[in-house]
Amino acid sequence: MGGFIDSLAERCVEKGRREGRSEGLSEGKLSGILEAIRSLMASMSWEADKAMDALRIPENERDYYLRELAK
């Protein structure tokens, strides 16, 4: 029975690692986009909308970035 429990535990740990890795990559991508928006706003004196246009950020994602920029 111990082998089964150990195997199950290993699968659970690996699943947790995969999910954590995926979440981390997603957060990193969002952070990078925010940094790119901020950089364009600062270096080009652009408003957020123009920076997001330049980065081709879809309309349905812009509210998220605007909220994050306001923090």
Side-chain angles (χ1 to χ4, degrees), residues 20-32:
R21 194 174 303 121
S22 177
E23 186 176 319
L25 289 172
S26 180
E27 288 178 14
K29 179 183 173 187
L30 296 175
S31 178

Side-chain angles (χ1 to χ4, degrees), residues 17-55:
R17 283 187 184 130
R18 282 193 309 270
E19 290 173 359
R21 194 174 303 121
S22 177
E23 186 176 319
L25 289 172
S26 180
E27 288 178 14
K29 179 183 173 187
L30 296 175
S31 178
I33 291 171
L34 280 168
E35 185 58 34
I37 294 168
R38 287 185 181 111
S39 179
L40 286 171
M41 290 172 69
S43 65
M44 304 298 288
S45 299
W46 286 351
E47 297 293 326
D49 286 331
K50 188 167 182 178
M52 288 189 280
D53 286 344
L55 295 169

Side-chain angles (χ1 to χ4, degrees), residues 53-66:
D53 286 344
L55 295 169
R56 297 182 178 173
I57 295 173
E59 289 291 329
N60 65 333
E61 296 177 12
R62 291 181 181 213
D63 284 343
Y64 167 80
Y65 291 109
L66 289 171

